[in-house]
């Protein structure tokens, strides 16, 4: 592909393909996950999002208002959807305190893939210096992070209710 800013390289396409495969694999089956690992995962995704937005800001020099608008809109849409998604996620306690089982979730995978696919498409279609392109593509990252964080918050609350309802073995 061309070396123009905003063009997608083969390396980026491979990274997207690997991420898609990993997401599909992870959500296609029930998972055991510790509460600590769940929050570490959310934290790492937020750090990755910050790097993506920072990299976009360094490369395309959007106005600060564009980044703030992207964050506000992305989170305003992502958080309610994440809470709804978490409410519908199957959660069960395990025999170990602090470890839960989450049901398979194809809907979650589709949301993540749509967000990252949308960002990829926006970067291909709109000029790299476009305010609309920056707001939409960065907004999609904040949207995905809002969904992830809110989903795991709702899942954590469901787990806590199950964990406190389970009598302690002594």
């Amino acid at each position: 592909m061309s070396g123009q800013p905003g063009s997608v390289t083969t390396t980026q396409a491979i990274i997207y393909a690997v991420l898609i495969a990993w997401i599909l694999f992870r959500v296609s089956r029930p998972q055991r996950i510790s509460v600590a690992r769940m929050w570490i995962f959310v934290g790492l995704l937020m750090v990755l999002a910050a790097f993506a937005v920072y990299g976009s800001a360094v490369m395309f020099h959007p106005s600060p208002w564009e980044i703030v608008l992207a964050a506000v809109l992305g989170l305003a849409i992502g958080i309610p959807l994440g809470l709804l998604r978490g409410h519908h996620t199957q959660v069960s306690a395990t025999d170990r305190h602090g470890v839960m089982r989450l049901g398979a979730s194809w809907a979650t995978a589709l949301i993540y893939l749509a967000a990252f696919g949308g960002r990829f498409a926006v970067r291909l279609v709109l000029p790299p210096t476009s305010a609309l392109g920056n707001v939409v593509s960065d907004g999609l990252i904040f949207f995905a992070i809002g969904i992830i964080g809110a989903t795991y918050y709702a899942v954590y609350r469901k787990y806590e209710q199950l964990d406190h309802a389970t009598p302690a073995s002594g």
Side-chain angles (χ1 to χ4, degrees), residues 142-169:
F142 285 108
F143 169 76
I145 294 306
I147 286 178
I148 293 166
T151 297
Y152 282 165
Y153 174 75
V155 162
Y156 174 73
R157 292 193 35 108
K158 286 172 82 171
Y159 168 73
E160 282 293 305
Q161 289 175 344
L162 288 170
D163 191 47
H164 292 302
T166 306
S169 58

Side-chain angles (χ1 to χ4, degrees), residues 13-90:
I14 291 169
I15 290 170
Y16 281 121
V18 169
L19 283 173
I20 289 168
W22 180 74
I23 289 170
L24 290 174
F25 172 75
R26 292 280 298 167
V27 302
S28 66
R29 58 196 179 93
Q31 305 173 46
R32 285 176 62 111
I33 187 169
S34 72
V35 173
R37 192 173 94 194
M38 178 180 74
W39 290 120
I40 289 170
F41 177 70
V42 171
L44 286 174
L45 287 175
M46 288 180 182
V47 168
L48 287 173
F51 276 120
V53 171
Y54 175 76
S56 176
V58 168
M59 186 179 272
F60 304 120
H61 307 291
S63 301
W65 71 264
E66 293 174 17
I67 296 171
V68 171
L69 181 63
V72 169
L73 291 176
L75 293 173
I77 297 168
I79 289 172
L81 288 175
L83 291 172
L84 182 65
R85 181 71 215 128
H87 177 72
H88 292 287
T89 299
Q90 181 185 4

Side-chain angles (χ1 to χ4, degrees), residues 2-8:
S2 68
Q4 299 175 11
S7 67
V8 177

Side-chain angles (χ1 to χ4, degrees), residues 81-158:
L81 288 175
L83 291 172
L84 182 65
R85 181 71 215 128
H87 177 72
H88 292 287
T89 299
Q90 181 185 4
V91 179
S92 56
T94 63
D95 55 348
R96 286 186 47 210
H97 176 70
V99 178
M100 68 187 99
R101 179 174 289 281
L102 300 177
S105 175
W106 285 100
T108 302
L110 293 176
I111 291 168
Y112 299 157
L113 294 177
F116 287 108
R119 179 177 169 90
F120 182 78
V122 166
R123 291 289 181 200
L124 280 175
V125 173
L126 294 175
T129 56
S130 161
L132 177 63
N134 283 312
V135 170
V136 171
S137 66
D138 288 346
L140 287 168
I141 292 295
F142 285 108
F143 169 76
I145 294 306
I147 286 178
I148 293 166
T151 297
Y152 282 165
Y153 174 75
V155 162
Y156 174 73
R157 292 193 35 108
K158 286 172 82 171

